[in-house]
Amino acid sequence: MRAAPSLRGCVCLLLAAILDRARGYLTVSIEPLPPVVAGDAVTLKCNFKTDGRMREIVWYRVTDGGTIKQKIFTFDAMFSTNFSHMENYRRREDLVYQSTVRLPEVRISDNGPYECHVGIYDRATREKVVLASGNIFLNVMAPPTSIEVVAADTPAPFSRYQARNFTLVCIVSGGKPAPTVYFKRDGEPVDAVPLSEPPAASSGPLQDSRPFRSLLHRDQDDTKMQRSLSLLDAESRGGRPSTERPSRSLTPDPSSAIQPTAENIPETVVSREFPHWVHGSEPVYFLRHSHSPGGDGTVEVRALLTWTLNPQTDNEALFSCEVKHPALSMPMQAEVTLVAPKGPKIMMTPSRARVGDTVRILVHGFQHEVFPEPMFTWTRVGSRLLDGSAEFDGRELVLERVPAELNGSMYRCMAQNPLGSTDTHTRLIVFENPNIPRGTEDSNGSASGPAGVRLTLVLALTVVLELT
């Protein structure tokens, strides 16, 4: 009697095996793929093994987190004779198949899961289908498409005696996944302290507790040091450097009204003296990263390098932003050289100004490329500008309908960025206008006086004659 349970168990296993062989078996697997680069050709391979008769093969692309399945390929054995010679329904045989789907040029939008569904006929009845599936996640990478280095909070003035923080921003767009971004100075990697939050705008110079490191590769310039000492001596005697920003007072200075003489300043004065607050040590850099996802699956990375600017040692320093990405064979990079403005080139149009013309005075370049972008301030030496203002901010100064009184007037343009400032002067020569008789133009260069009255009378007489 004890053998009965074991006998029944053996019978059940035998029946299950018979039913399983009657139904057939099916295993499906998709060959794994490493991450692919956008633009490459990709082949998805679905391998399946069965002893049954093929019914169908369907490939799906899964979107919206698995809620939507888009059919991209279908093979239906009922309407194809491709497999008719490969198997005999009455013969037990293991057959291995492979279904492939080729994507000629993958895009970032092709990123995501894919499924391969295979169906075979049930060996017990042709009305039932046995299904199995496999899945794979296609990871599509994209290299960054653009890289740019800009200066934050510019244009900004030159600060001679107050230490200020300076920030370079490296913007890298179009990459997937997010690339690795780092900075170099003069070809050497910048050892930066990571920051999670941006420094406050009103905070002073950034500091770090790391050991002091002398800036051995940048010796101090004795000439600039002597100029700095002479500048400090001038300050102690009550003088003011010629490149300091003039006051923005709305009322005219009485002293300037009494003595409207031209300033005794050379045509171009470069002001990059060694400030007394600067220490001869290597600066401490702080690095912060931010990521902004794009709508197409890419990521924009911004790397912000901040340090306390030293115009003495940072002028003409070469900074490069480099990017590493698995889709790149070599790093991308963008370079900028910190340069103070020097030798501005002034262009005046028209070259021969006449009374009543509109004169444009433009700074159209420098001796060398300047970075960051400088700010420009125009003043008239010994007097106010034509519109009555003390100064004008902008690259181009426009004087509308210049009068004869501006002949010989001198204009000063101060160009400055955080690394230094420079002044340049230009003189306006106004010639007589044959269309405007002498003494008939007002302060704005427009015609007035007896000639204007005669013109009005002639026009009035003409109107009366036409009416009569």
Side-chain angles (χ1 to χ4, degrees), residues 276-348:
H276 69 270
W277 47 261
V278 173
H279 302 284
S281 62
E282 185 176 357
V284 178
Y285 296 95
F286 296 85
L287 183 62
R288 184 175 67 90
H289 291 88
S290 64
H291 297 75
S292 301
D296 57 352
T298 61
V299 180
E300 180 187 89
V301 178
R302 292 184 175 233
L304 293 83
L305 184 68
T306 304
W307 75 100
T308 301
L309 189 69
N310 184 337
Q312 168 72 4
T313 57
D314 290 333
N315 189 58
E316 299 183 359
L318 173 64
F319 283 86
S320 61
C321 172
E322 298 195 2
V323 175
K324 288 185 177 180
H325 192 274
L328 294 173
S329 58
M330 60 185 302
M332 292 177 61
Q333 73 170 9
E335 297 180 343
V336 294
T337 302
L338 305 186
V339 179
K342 182 179 180 181
K345 301 176 182 179
I346 303 296
M347 180 176 64
M348 182 182 300

Side-chain angles (χ1 to χ4, degrees), residues 20 23-29 46-60 69 74-76 115-123 125-134:
D20 182 71
R23 185 178 60 181
Y25 75 93
L26 174 65
T27 59
V28 179
S29 64
C46 178
N47 300 320
F48 51 96
K49 186 176 181 181
T50 181
D51 61 352
R53 183 171 182 178
M54 178 65 58
R55 172 62 180 86
E56 65 177 359
I57 304 172
V58 182
W59 279 89
Y60 294 95
K69 292 185 178 181
T74 300
F75 169 80
D76 194 332
E115 293 182 357
C116 174
H117 292 244
V118 180
I120 63 171
Y121 286 111
D122 192 316
R123 297 186 65 86
T125 171
R126 294 290 299 272
E127 297 179 355
K128 294 183 179 180
V129 177
V130 179
L131 298 175
S133 64

